[in-house]
Amino acid sequence: MRRHRLERVRGPLAPGESFTCMASGVAIDGPYVNIGAVIGQVPGTELVVTDDDPSNYTGTTVRSTPPAGPPAQPADAMPTTGVDLPIAGIVGGALAALLGLMLIVLVSRRRTS
């Protein structure tokens, strides 16, 4: 674990005054934890105050080449879903069967009349 330690960077702060301390580095792969901590002493007393502020991230390397696989469809192409059926053949077959059935019914009625 690498530590950045800054000691007595600046003298006492007046009430309401603030001080900003920054450090930078390169992000790494995997989990990373950072804890900003401060220790201060109230002037003229033995009172010591502390505070800390943890932060973290998980670094991930981004792949620069796309994975191998089937070629992508054009942006305007709709994906195929369900089953491709020859609709015209199904409708035509159903109509032919219906007409055949109607013909049988008509012929049978004429013979019985």
Side-chain angles (χ1 to χ4, degrees), residues 30-57:
Y32 175 83
V33 176
N34 179 56
I35 300 175
V38 63
I39 299 172
Q41 182 177 0
V42 177
T45 71
E46 297 293 319
L47 180 61
V48 175
V49 292
T50 63
D51 193 17
D52 59 65
D53 186 16
S55 69
N56 59 69
Y57 71 84

Side-chain angles (χ1 to χ4, degrees), residues 5-112:
R5 187 174 182 100
L6 302 172
E7 293 185 32
R8 298 187 187 261
V9 175
R10 186 176 162 151
L13 298 176
E17 190 178 9
S18 65
F19 175 72
T20 301
C21 179
M22 295 172 46
S24 64
V26 177
I28 59 172
D29 277 340
Y32 175 83
V33 176
N34 179 56
I35 300 175
V38 63
I39 299 172
Q41 182 177 0
V42 177
T45 71
E46 297 293 319
L47 180 61
V48 175
V49 292
T50 63
D51 193 17
D52 59 65
D53 186 16
S55 69
N56 59 69
Y57 71 84
T58 300
T60 306
T61 300
V62 177
R63 189 180 337 176
S64 62
T65 56
Q73 291 182 338
D76 60 344
M78 294 293 291
T80 303
T81 59
V83 179
D84 289 332
L85 296 175
I87 299 298
I90 292 172
V91 172
L95 285 175
L98 183 60
L99 288 174
L101 184 60
M102 288 173 59
L103 184 61
I104 291 171
V105 170
L106 285 175
V107 170
S108 347
R109 282 190 175 179
R110 284 190 184 183
R111 287 188 183 168
T112 57

